[in-house]
Amino acid sequence: MPDFTEVAERVWVARYEWFDVNVTLVGSDRGLLVVDTHGSSAAALEVVDDLRRLGAGEVTAIVNTHWHFDHTFGNEAFRAAYGALPIVAHETAAEELERGAEEIRQRYADEPADPHTADVLATEVVLPDRTFSSALVLDAGDRLVELVHPGRGHTGGDLVVRVPDADVVLAGDLVEESAPPWFGADSWPMDWPLTLDVVLGLTTPASVVVPGHGAPVDRAFVEEQRNTIGVVAETIRDLAGRGVPLDQALDTGEWPWPRERMGDAVRRGYEQLPRSQKRLPLI
Ligand SMILES: [Zn+2]
């Protein structure tokens, strides 16, 4: 039973073993904002239990940092527990969840031995119903909560939550602490370093940055991760610029993280570099 820990004034984080994912609460005199809802209705019900044990009040709104199911599939359970809560996300995240949810359900349907399969398949996916394109300020009464889309990175629709009075930034999976950042088939590796520059611009040397997975970090950690993701992007750019074909790029490059994690990063990077691809014979 994870406990919510107060990492800054009226900002609590609980870290769950399945996916080592964080769920964060932002308190205000208009209730609690829950940021990310875990990966199934059953998993979210555990979160609701932990939240009630904390005794900090009722949830009045949901934010999804991006579409991935370990951050969104608990939406239904929060609505069941607290009523018709608004669910706020970036407009692209809402579209991506609508497109991607069935694939996730299929992935679990194909893995009946996974202990979470029944829970995932029993979950009704509830899409965000309040979306924005660049930035949104939520007036929570005695504090303002800023939602910012800093650009594409881990997905096409990541947002970060900034609570200025507490100097906290909730970074979603643009930052990971307990594993390397995840470059999936929906990632934007060439944009990601610049996106993190925007995130860094929202921080101070004293900021607490809550990653999507793992322990809270500071600005220096984010700077270092930004630079390492920058190495990935520069390596892809270099390989493409030297004319290394896509099917040799992964083996040719030197990567800061295990090669087997970098396949989608290379594929996505090549797709995003206009001069890298489709070197068709001229005759
Ligand atoms: Zn993710």
Side-chain angles (χ1 to χ4, degrees), residues 8 78 126 130 153 171 180 184 209 222 232 234 236 243 248 253 281:
F78 271 88
V126 178
R130 185 165 174 202
V209 179
V222 179
V232 171
E234 285 313 306
I236 295 169
Q248 293 166 27

Side-chain angles (χ1 to χ4, degrees), residues 66 68 70-71 154 173:
H66 62 295
H68 286 162
D70 49 327
H71 304 258
H154 173 68
D173 288 1

Side-chain angles (χ1 to χ4, degrees), residues 118-143:
D119 290 343
V120 171
L121 296 181
T123 296
E124 186 200 329
V125 177
V126 178
L127 299 177
D129 57 2
R130 185 165 174 202
T131 60
F132 68 97
S133 55
S134 57
L136 179 67
V137 178
L138 301 177
D139 180 355
D142 60 340
R143 76 196 321 186

Side-chain angles (χ1 to χ4, degrees), residues 11-283:
V11 178
W12 297 270
V13 181
R15 181 173 170 180
Y16 289 90
E17 196 180 336
W18 186 31
F19 289 113
D20 193 21
V21 70
N22 287 323
V23 175
T24 305
L25 305 170
V26 179
S28 74
D29 66 5
R30 295 201 181 150
L32 297 170
L33 185 72
V34 62
V35 180
D36 290 342
T37 57
H38 211 347
S40 70
S41 286
L45 286 177
E46 269 181 59
V47 180
V48 168
D49 280 349
D50 297 335
L51 209 154
R52 292 210 158 117
R53 222 174 43 249
L54 173 69
E58 298 284 297
V59 175
T60 51
I62 296 170
V63 172
N64 293 148
T65 57
H66 62 295
W67 79 271
H68 286 162
F69 81 102
D70 49 327
H71 304 258
T72 56
F73 271 29
N75 287 354
E76 176 202 24
F78 271 88
R79 280 220 174 138
Y82 292 102
L85 306 175
I87 304 175
V88 190
H90 186 259
E91 58 192 9
T92 302
E95 292 165 13
E96 289 174 326
L97 179 57
E98 190 166 21
R99 264 203 312 273
E102 200 44 48
E103 190 192 319
I104 301 298
R105 293 169 59 84
Q106 193 56 51
R107 196 191 299 169
Y108 274 90
D110 293 343
E111 294 288 343
D114 187 293
H116 297 285
T117 293
D119 290 343
V120 171
L121 296 181
T123 296
E124 186 200 329
V125 177
V126 178
L127 299 177
D129 57 2
R130 185 165 174 202
T131 60
F132 68 97
S133 55
S134 57
L136 179 67
V137 178
L138 301 177
D139 180 355
D142 60 340
R143 76 196 321 186
L144 295 176
V145 179
E146 302 170 357
L147 309 186
V148 178
H149 171 57
R152 301 182 296 196
H154 173 68
T155 70
D158 302 279
L159 67 78
V160 300
V161 179
R162 178 167 175 256
V163 189
D165 68 73
D167 199 2
V168 168
V169 172
L170 315 178
D173 288 1
L174 288 170
V175 176
E176 289 202 44
E177 186 272 337
S178 51
W182 179 253
F183 293 90
D186 55 351
S187 64
W188 295 85
M190 309 312 291
D191 298 40
W192 199 335
L194 305 174
T195 294
L196 280 179
D197 286 339
V198 176
V199 176
L200 284 164
L202 301 173
T203 64
T204 73
S207 292
V208 173
V209 179
V210 179
H213 303 267
V217 297
D218 60 10
R219 181 161 83 175
F221 180 97
V222 179
E223 277 169 346
E224 193 177 324
Q225 192 154 88
R226 180 259 178 252
N227 289 338
T228 313
I229 292 170
V231 168
V232 171
E234 285 313 306
T235 302
I236 295 169
R237 192 182 300 280
D238 174 59
L239 290 164
R242 288 194 281 128
V244 176
L246 173 58
D247 60 4
Q248 293 166 27
L250 185 62
D251 287 336
T252 307
E254 300 243 356
W255 307 101
W257 289 301
R259 193 175 302 274
E260 60 270 20
R261 293 180 69 99
M262 305 313 300
D264 279 333
V266 175
R267 253 188 309 281
R268 292 289 288 162
Y270 266 59
E271 280 169 23
Q272 292 153 26
L273 287 167
R275 282 177 296 178
S276 68
Q277 50 182 336
K278 301 184 193 84
R279 289 170 178 269
L280 298 173
L282 292 174
I283 48 172

